[in-house]
Amino acid sequence: MTKSARLRINEIFLSLQGEADTVGYPTVFVRLTGCPLRCGYCDTEYAFHNGDWLDLDVIVERVCGYGAKHVCVTGGEPLAQPNCLRLLERLCDAGLHVSLETSGAMDIAPVDTRVSRVVDVKTPGSREAARNRIGNFAALTPRDQLKFVICSREDYDWSKAFMQEHGLVDRTRILFSPSYTEVAPTLLADWILADRLPVRFQLQLHKVLWGDVPGK
Ligand code: SF4
């Protein structure tokens, strides 16, 4: 008998989706343990090390048990655990709307095409811009989204230039979020409006509702 595949899981919980195109929907979050990056603004450092090893069967059963239509696989960096690809397939097979939040540092090409991928572009303010995997951009479709977390005016200007350099607006949808403690949301909104920048401004709804607490 083959041993069942496992993943190290930090938490599984139900909340409202706080970001991207399914914002506001009841969503089950599966947070995988571990991340090879160390962004300055990281709000999930508690997921770097702690977690339990769970069989894929158990994870899928728990997710389905919540009775929500949406599931978001996140981290940490979920793709750092190779079995994440199998989990994504299994969740799609279960008939759920599946999204993946990934740092942009890992290869997204092997991800099941039914999954909506939300891929970060790390700005200089994150201190991890060297980790952006430029090769990922060719794999993006209009179904995916690229997310820039803006930490300063310098980050905003860098992001505009980066989008243009890599033709990103024509490839997929672009999200700009203010870094929670570093840029006032109104400031970023004003910059986008002044430039008529074809990006979608977003706030992290879960933080507006509940603040910066784990499990929400
Ligand atoms: S990629 Fe995400 S989880 Fe990893 S350090 Fe950066 S913000 Fe934190």
Side-chain angles (χ1 to χ4, degrees):
M1 198 202 302
T2 48
K3 198 162 168 272
S4 170
R6 295 192 308 165
L7 284 168
R8 194 164 183 217
I9 300 294
N10 179 264
E11 57 182 351
I12 299 176
F13 61 96
L14 177 71
S15 187
L16 296 183
Q17 175 57 267
E19 303 187 49
D21 66 350
T22 57
V23 65
Y25 284 111
T27 301
V28 182
F29 290 83
V30 180
R31 188 180 308 287
L32 274 62
T33 300
C35 181
L37 281 67
R38 290 294 179 268
C39 304
Y41 50 66
C42 184
D43 55 4
T44 52
E45 290 173 325
Y46 62 90
F48 287 168
H49 304 294
N50 301 324
D52 298 320
W53 287 99
L54 298 179
D55 287 348
L56 292 193
D57 292 342
V58 172
I59 301 168
V60 174
E61 193 182 320
R62 269 202 214 170
V63 169
C64 292
Y66 281 100
K69 286 192 188 323
H70 295 263
V71 58
C72 177
V73 175
T74 186
E77 167 49 75
L79 294 178
Q81 296 190 53
N83 277 336
C84 179
L85 296 173
R86 292 177 65 182
L87 174 65
L88 291 165
E89 284 172 24
R90 292 279 307 272
L91 293 170
C92 290
D93 291 346
L96 297 167
H97 180 287
V98 184
S99 61
L100 168 72
E101 294 180 342
T102 178
S103 65
M106 313 290 293
D107 186 7
I108 62 167
V111 173
D112 191 300
T113 53
R114 294 170 291 179
V115 174
S116 172
R117 300 170 296 192
V118 182
V119 181
D120 290 350
V121 175
K122 296 300 180 188
T123 63
S126 75
R127 307 204 293 263
E128 288 287 21
R131 306 296 291 270
N132 288 320
R133 194 181 174 106
I134 304 300
N136 272 340
F137 298 151
L140 290 169
T141 73
R143 207 176 142 65
D144 302 314
Q145 293 159 90
L146 277 180
K147 184 175 92 172
F148 293 73
V149 176
I150 308 294
C151 303
S152 64
R153 177 71 206 199
E154 290 70 33
D155 258 12
Y156 175 81
D157 290 334
W158 180 91
S159 301
K160 268 199 314 183
F162 190 90
M163 278 168 47
Q164 192 160 13
E165 181 188 346
H166 296 284
L168 298 180
V169 170
D170 297 328
R171 287 190 185 279
T172 192
R173 295 168 291 167
I174 315 277
L175 305 167
F176 271 31
S177 284
S179 175
Y180 188 56
T181 55
E182 294 176 284
V183 172
T186 46
L187 208 51
L188 177 58
D190 286 340
W191 295 339
I192 291 171
L193 282 171
D195 287 340
R196 307 325 190 242
L197 205 65
V199 302
R200 189 174 189 184
F201 170 87
Q202 69 164 14
L203 290 176
Q204 293 174 296
L205 176 66
H206 50 292
K207 288 187 182 166
V208 174
L209 290 171
W210 294 294
D212 191 8
V213 295
K216 284 291 189 187

